[in-house]
Amino acid sequence: MLHSLRDKLGLSARVYETGNGVGGTWYWNRYPGARCDTDSYIYCYTFDKQLLQEWEWTERYPEQPEILRYLNHVADRFDLRKDIRFNACVTEASFDEKANRWTILTAEGDVVTAKYFIAAVGCLSSSNLPKFKGLETYKGKHYHTGQWPHGGIDFTAKRVGIIGTGASAVQAIPEIAQQAKHLTVFQRTPNFCVPARNGKIDPAVVNTRKADYDAICERVRNSYFGYELSFIEKSALEASPEERERVFNEMWDQGGFNFWLANYQDMLFNKEANEVCAEFLRRKIRETVKDPVLAEKLIPKTYPYGTKRQPLDTNYFETFNKPNVLLVDVNETPIEEITPKGIRTSDREYECDIIVFATGFDAMTGPLTKINIRGRGGQLLSQKWSDGPHSYLGVAVAGFPNMFTITGPGSPSVLSNMPVSIEQHVEWITGCLEHMRKHGIATMEARADAEMQWTEHVAELANASLLPTANSWYLGANIPGKPRVFMPYLGGVGPYRQKCDDIAAKGYEGFTFAA
Ligand code: NA7
C-alpha cells in the first residue's frame, strides 16, 4: 500500500507500525514450528514481476524466519523504511468533519493529520490471552504464540504446559515436545488436522512455475480461495465409497489445503457429505494415535469438518505417542486457576516451568476496535460494531469517510490466501484515490444502505454453509462476550474481485462523494 501511495500515486504517506520492524504476523509469531500453511510460490507479492522471478523460496511452506527475510527484502528493495515509523502504536484516529481530515494519534505522542486513513492492521494481530484466575501469581515464565520473544525460548529440561490446540499449537507442539522434558497439552476443542507434507522444492518445478507466473497469478486471482485449487464438481454423496476413498487418499497424500479447499463441492454445505469427509480424517487419527482412549479425545466430534480453520500438521498426532507428552481435556477437567507452580484443573495441579498460551486472537474486528476510531459525529467504530461488523465490501464503513480497511471484515480475507486478497484491496483502494484525485473529490464514503445490503449478503452466504455451526474465531466464538457474527466473506476471491471491479466501473456504486 505504501509503495502504491507513494510511488504510483505520488502522495506523501506514512506508515505507523507497533513493531520494531516490518513483517506483521511474521514479525510477531516466532514460536517454534511457525510456518505458513500456503505454498510459498503463491504466498508472495505479485505486483513486481522481477521480484517474483528473483526471490527463491527454499521449501514448500516457508518458515517464519524466511518469510520475515522476504518481507524485509521487499521493504529494502522498494525503499519503504524511510516512510515507516516503527515502535509507534496508533491509539486513536478521528475524522474532522470541518477540515475533512483524519487526526491520528500514537501512544508515543505523534499527532498527524491526513486526508486518507488506511487501516492495514491485519486480521489476526490482536492476541487473546484469556483471563485465567491467578495468572499474576504464576512464578514461571509464560508466553503467547502471537507475541513470541525474539531470541526464542529454550525448553530443554523444562516442564511445559500449552493451552490451545489451534493452528499455532498444532505447529508448536511437535517442536516443543522434542525439546522439553515434559509437555502437557490443555485441549478445549480437538482439531481435524491434515499433513502439511513440507519439503524442499524440486528446482525443475521452481523453473516451470517461474516461466508460468503470469498464468499462475491469473488463476489464483480468479480462484475461489486464492489458491490453485478448486472443488470437485460433484457431491461427496454421488461418489461411490471406493471413489471417495481413492480421492480422499490422494488429497491426504498431497497434503496442504487440498482436503479442505479442493474437496467435493458440497463438503462445506451438506452435513451428510461433510460427515463422510470427517469420518475419513477421524480414521486417520485412530490409525496414528496408539492409545485408543487418547485417540478418542483427540478426535473432533462436535462440529463439521472444515468449519474451523484447517491446521496443517507435521507429526502432530504422532507426538501424542511420546512418553513425555500428556493430553488434558479441559472439557472433562476444566482449568480452574493458574497457581504459582502451574495449572490447576478440577482434577489436579500440573506443575510447569513454562506456560505457552496458544490461545489465538480477537480476530478481524479486534485490531480495529482496539483503536479509538471516530467517524462522523464522533461515532466510535467499536460502538457501531457492538453487534458485529458492518461494512461495505469489507473495505469501507458508512460514517467513516476516506477510511479504508485492508482485508477488513466482510471481505474474503481469512477465507483466502492473504497476500492475494491484500493485493486486491491495495489495487482497488489505489483506484479509489486516483478517481478522487481525477474528479477533485474531498470525501468518499460508503452509503448506509449499500453497507446494510452488503452485510446481509455476507451473512446470507455464510448461513448457506456449515461454517457458522462451529464455535470458531470466524464468528468471534473464542472471545467471551463477542457478538456471534460470521465475519469473512464466503463469496470467493474471484467473484469478489469482479464485484469490486464492477462497482468501480459504475463510478463506485454504493459510495457518496463530496467535493
Ligand atoms: P486459534 O485457532 O484461535 O486457536 C486457539 C486455541 O486456543 C484453540 O484451540 C482454542 O480452543 C484455545 N483456547 C482459546 N481460549 C481458551 C481458553 N480460555 N481455555 C482453553 N483453550 C482456549 O489460534 P491460533 O493461533 O492457533 O491460530 C490462529 C490463526 O493463525 C490460524 O488459524 C491461522 O490462520 C494463523 P477453541 O477451539 O476456541 O475451543
Side-chain angles (χ1 to χ4, degrees), residues 124 128 130 132 145 163-169 186 188-189 191 308-309 330 335 358-361 471 473 478:
L124 295 161
N128 166 43
F132 287 109
T145 48
I163 303 180
T165 51
S168 301
F186 296 84
R188 184 163 73 179
T189 313
N191 250 311
K308 283 168 86 90
R309 206 289 205 155
V330 303
I335 296 174
T359 43
F361 301 88
N471 289 328
W473 54 257
N478 60 329

Side-chain angles (χ1 to χ4, degrees), residues 39-282:
D39 285 67
S40 48
Y41 78 100
I42 52 168
Y43 195 81
C44 49
Y45 294 114
T46 64
F47 68 84
D48 187 282
K49 290 192 179 181
Q50 194 90 23
L51 175 67
L52 267 180
Q53 291 300 324
E54 283 172 12
W55 184 262
E56 300 286 342
W57 296 105
T58 60
E59 291 179 290
R60 176 173 176 184
Y61 308 99
E63 59 171 353
Q64 177 270 331
E66 186 166 353
I67 307 175
L68 192 57
R69 270 201 301 281
Y70 170 75
L71 293 168
N72 274 295
H73 170 74
V74 174
D76 291 337
R77 187 186 172 108
F78 296 97
D79 197 14
L80 299 179
R81 282 175 217 281
K82 66 178 185 212
D83 293 306
I84 307 178
R85 172 122 155 64
F86 293 107
N87 302 307
C89 179
V90 172
T91 51
E92 241 179 275
S94 43
F95 185 69
D96 176 341
E97 291 180 71
K98 284 201 192 99
N100 280 336
R101 285 181 82 80
W102 283 90
T103 302
I104 294 147
L105 311 184
T106 72
E108 291 67 30
D110 301 85
V111 181
V112 64
T113 72
K115 180 169 179 183
Y116 305 109
F117 171 52
I118 301 174
V121 288
C123 297
L124 295 161
S125 55
S126 178
S127 54
N128 166 43
L129 184 66
K131 289 187 174 58
F132 287 109
K133 187 180 151 203
L135 179 58
E136 67 291 346
T137 68
Y138 180 55
K139 295 268 190 285
K141 299 265 187 215
H142 66 89
Y143 307 98
H144 189 284
T145 48
Q147 290 184 331
W148 204 257
H150 286 198
I153 307 296
D154 185 5
F155 291 102
T156 313
K158 298 281 195 262
R159 296 164 305 172
V160 183
I162 182 166
I163 303 180
T165 51
S168 301
V170 165
Q171 292 184 332
I173 285 168
E175 298 287 327
I176 297 174
Q178 277 189 37
Q179 261 191 42
K181 180 170 156 205
H182 192 270
L183 176 65
T184 310
V185 178
F186 296 84
Q187 171 189 272
R188 184 163 73 179
T189 313
N191 250 311
F192 289 100
C193 303
V194 167
R197 308 221 186 275
N198 188 32
K200 299 278 174 223
I201 320 164
D202 178 350
V205 172
V206 173
N207 289 338
T208 311
R209 283 176 178 157
K210 286 201 169 172
D212 192 33
Y213 246 134
D214 285 348
I216 290 173
C217 294
E218 208 43 37
R219 284 199 291 276
V220 160
R221 282 160 175 256
N222 294 306
S223 68
Y224 207 84
F225 291 109
Y227 296 86
E228 290 200 276
L229 298 173
S230 40
F231 285 123
I232 303 166
E233 290 180 7
K234 191 178 192 177
S235 163
L237 304 171
E238 272 164 33
S240 67
E242 296 73 29
E243 179 188 332
R244 276 199 307 254
E245 188 66 11
R246 179 178 54 73
V247 168
F248 288 164
N249 270 310
E250 272 169 24
M251 292 189 296
W252 176 264
D253 291 342
Q254 284 157 356
F257 284 155
N258 297 51
F259 206 90
W260 193 30
L261 306 179
N263 210 309
Y264 291 100
Q265 64 180 15
D266 54 350
M267 186 274 286
L268 289 174
F269 299 89
N270 176 320
K271 260 189 162 167
E272 232 182 302
N274 186 283
E275 187 56 22
V276 294
C277 306
E279 260 313 301
F280 176 87
L281 295 177
R282 292 189 188 116

Side-chain angles (χ1 to χ4, degrees), residues 298-314:
L298 287 162
I299 290 175
K301 293 172 185 150
T302 57
Y303 62 94
Y305 165 62
T307 53
K308 283 168 86 90
R309 206 289 205 155
Q310 167 75 74
L312 297 186
D313 85 281
T314 303

